[in-house]
Amino acid sequence: MSFDLSVWALADGATPEDVRAAVLRCRRGQHVDRYPDPRVVAFYRAITGSYPDRPAGPGTPWAVAPLHAASDHVELNLHPTCEDQVLLDIERLAGAYDLMLFDAQDGSVYPPPARLPG
């Protein structure tokens, strides 16, 4: 069993419900046909720069590799025993690239820190 997260590049003003709807479309195989969002590309490069997924070497945090990357999101399936630092890096990078974070375990959506009410 894996611990599953995904990061989403949605339009400004996107709500947790918008993220959940996008997740459902992805699970149905309905992906947006557009040029990859630069925020997603930057996140993917940064996270795989620290934790490669091609190839995923010994001690990898990834339960599924390569990571599922689409034009508007990256899905991250982690080993449940991965180090806390991996999760902290995912959260930090999601915030740095203005991506919303979806926790598949309970359906929680976390907006980037810049979008949190002051």
Side-chain angles (χ1 to χ4, degrees):
M1 181 153 227
S2 63
F3 178 77
D4 304 328
L5 300 170
S6 53
V7 295
W8 292 83
L10 299 181
D12 284 343
T15 65
E17 292 76 24
D18 294 329
V19 174
R20 289 184 195 100
V23 169
L24 287 175
R25 284 191 299 275
C26 175
R27 289 180 179 164
R28 292 182 191 133
Q30 300 168 338
H31 290 97
V32 178
D33 187 22
R34 65 176 187 162
Y35 193 76
D37 189 293
R39 298 172 292 171
V40 170
V41 173
F43 174 89
Y44 178 84
R45 287 180 179 159
I47 199 67
T48 59
S50 295
Y51 309 102
D53 69 333
R54 297 172 191 255
T60 183
W62 311 125
V64 175
L67 302 179
H68 167 76
S71 62
D72 60 352
H73 69 280
V74 177
E75 187 174 315
L76 309 133
N77 307 103
L78 298 133
H79 288 293
T81 57
C82 79
E83 295 187 23
D84 289 343
Q85 186 60 51
V86 178
L87 298 173
L88 293 171
D89 288 342
I90 291 168
E91 290 174 1
R92 177 182 54 78
L93 290 169
Y97 295 113
D98 196 30
L99 300 171
M100 298 181 84
L101 184 63
F102 176 77
D103 182 334
Q105 283 58 235
D106 64 6
S108 296
V109 176
Y110 304 95
R115 290 194 195 169
L116 293 175

